[in-house]
Amino acid sequence: MEKLRDWRNVSLLLVAAACSQEVTAPGVCPEFCPSAQVRVLDTLLVGNIVRDSSFRGYVTPHRAVRMQLSHLNGGPGIESRGVLRFLPFSDSLIDTEGLRPIVGTDSFNITLVLDGRPTNVTDLALMVHRLPASVDSSVTAADVEPFFDDSTVVGTLSLPDSVTDSTITFVLPPGGLDSLEADSFTVALGLALRGPAPAFVNLGTAEGGLGATLTRFVKIDSLGGELADRSESRVVSMDTFVIPPQPDPVATSLVTGGLPSARSLLRLNLPPAIIDSANIVRATLILVPTEPLRGAPGDSLLIFVEGLSADFGPKSPIIPGLLDTAGVGSVTVPVGSVDTLRIDVTRTVVPWKSNPNLPRSLMLRVRPEGAVLGELRVGSSRSVGATPALRVSYVPPSKLGGT
Amino acid sequence: MRRVLLIAALFVGTSPTTSLAQNSVFGVFGVGFPGRAISVRSRALGGGLAAFDARSAENPASIPGLLRLAATATSGTTLRNYTALDSVADGLKETRFPFGMIGGTIQRSPFSFAISYSTYAERSYELTTSDTVVLRGQPIAVEDRLASDGSVVDLRGALGLRVSSTLRLGGAVYVLGGSARVTTARTFDSRLYASLEQRDQLGFSGVGFSGGFVFTPVRRIALAGAFRTDRKLDATRNSVNVGSVDLPISVTGGLYVAPSPAIGWSTTFIFRGWSDAADDLASTTARTFDTWEIGSGIELGGADLGASRIPLRVGFRYAKLPFSPTSDRPYEIGFAFGTAIQFAGDRATLDASVERVTRDGAGARENAWHLAFGFTVRP
């Protein structure tokens, strides 16, 4: 038994001696460092973006999570108008005594959700026009243009200057919305922004859970011949916004954003020495606009560059990028800008080395899609003098000392 | 059978895939920091006994000194600090298993055998540096980590022959192997840059041969000599051949004097022609030099001398180091002290040594305490 204890003690001594270490030390380079050093190289890859193209029709305006109304006031840009159609009202209401006929309308309230506006333009107002109840999601700017006339104005909604994103309710006089019976009690309204300077507003939509609501205050014929006050509300059955036809882009341009929204697909043919052997530490996509960024005056466009989990062309599934305060993976471009875009795509490109199954493709799209007027038009691989490029900072494989 | 299994378990259990020795600020150059294929007993004697010690691997002719089957495993813990130029590193600590051996006599023959592993060159280090680099025209703070974990391992199969009572001969074959996991990492003080971590697996292979003698012309005086040559050390990175390094020849000489039965004084001198590797390492930051070292120690008493149960050992060692970042050749001085204790019916021995080491040269000075334990069983 004593021998066994001796052996055990010796074993414990050896194990205890082997159990910890601290070998990290400050390096004194280059004198007391191995010859393996981290060396960052920087190169501009031009002509490595191939088979790029644009596709339109991802999100139509009536499916967008918000609508954007703009007012040019004679300036450049894209002017848009909103179209709302509410669920039909009824000709009677249920009272405690049963279904009672509506005998008169006092007024209407319209509730809108303001989801952004420029703060440097004041005294903005929304002009509300009566539209035919037959409008639907296929409506165009030309279809509704005749109805945006002074004679069709049913109300003017002044937007408080202090409010940039909030729910606001306005009273509409009843006169402009009479004769609902002729439209089967369906109300369709057009919204046009007006103000002393070019501006825009974003309004919530039903698709974003922030659609408009129209409330009718009525009188019903109660039992005993008395009139009683009642109200009923209707949400929108369709909301959209329309713009006039826009000039076609240059044939070789890549188009992103706009209405309906467009995306651009860029495929990269990167040198194996960089994408497979080296470690990319930063990658920047460089895009050259072929014309000033189109959009609502004073607005800016949030453009994302995202990777794909598979390349099926226009229907490729996207690996969603995250909005980063450092601007990684996205860029915000003011309307009217012609500056070259530099979008950091490091997070998208770096995984390509470790996961060769990921397609080496990038998709450009705006956020939110179909909800903003902004449209980016940049040069493609077929453009002359405006071809996209990728700037890559990478670390080549280290040469190891002695080997 | 159980004894054989016990020895095998001890041998295998203490021989990791990358058996490592103490590290050094000078260990980042060349093929690494040279290891010492010696027992704890020899280490306590400053390496002076290495040419004669049957439980060391410097001279295959020493193997007939193993009078019976024995297995030895060692562990070493290093506590060190250094200054290199204007940088100071403190509190560094490593524990390794740098050497192990099993051997004995071949019954009814004058031959003895030994199989051992040792560290040929230690390649473990982890260095961190901070710097500011200009990338795309902007200064960016970076932090780099250069790490290597592994070693070149020396596996030896040796055969010794007791020619006569005064002469022993020996020969050995060495298989060099081992690997190192090398990590190169950089983090940027900017969210625009992705962190980098490159991991590579280095593999090493080579062969070597040695021969030696131990001659005892008169009682209490012995002379020893050995010669070793190695072929090139081939290196692969992630299984792809990346080159080879010519390894040095080694010439070992030793003198042992026992003025009395209880006192043994031993000295060993080793020359290594590391300059053979200079051409192959020319592309690195290292300059390569031939090295020599001399170690000498005195052992008082102990079972190995047959005088007492507990010996006292002291030793001194001076060695030149093979790799330097400048033309200044670094050197190493060590003072060692050790003892041993036997137990389990004298079938097991625990050797211990403490060594104070100073390395100096090329703008760096390193001080270390090296604590070593050796466990030997003789079933």
Side-chain angles (χ1 to χ4, degrees), chain B residues 131-142 189-190:
Chain B
D131 198 0
T132 298
V133 298
V134 176
L135 298 174
R136 301 189 180 188
Q138 299 292 322
I140 306 285
V142 298
D189 187 22
S190 168

Side-chain angles (χ1 to χ4, degrees), chain B residues 31-53:
Chain B
V31 298
F33 194 80
R36 300 173 68 189
I38 60 175
S39 67
V40 174
R41 181 188 177 200
S42 287
R43 187 178 282 275
L45 295 169
L49 192 65
F52 303 92
D53 185 10

Side-chain angles (χ1 to χ4, degrees), chain B residues 273-298:
Chain B
W274 274 107
S275 59
D276 294 346
D279 289 343
D280 296 324
L281 298 174
S283 62
T284 72
T285 57
R287 298 194 182 193
T288 309
F289 307 98
D290 292 336
T291 64
W292 59 267
E293 66 177 83
I294 186 167
S296 186
I298 296 176

Side-chain angles (χ1 to χ4, degrees), chain A residues 17 21-22 281 284 324 398, chain B residues 93 95-96 136 191 194 237:
Chain A
Q21 69 173 14
E22 175 54 55
V281 294
T284 306
D324 190 295
S398 300
Chain B
K93 178 183 177 185
T95 297
R96 301 288 186 257
R136 301 189 180 188
R191 295 176 63 189
R237 183 172 68 199

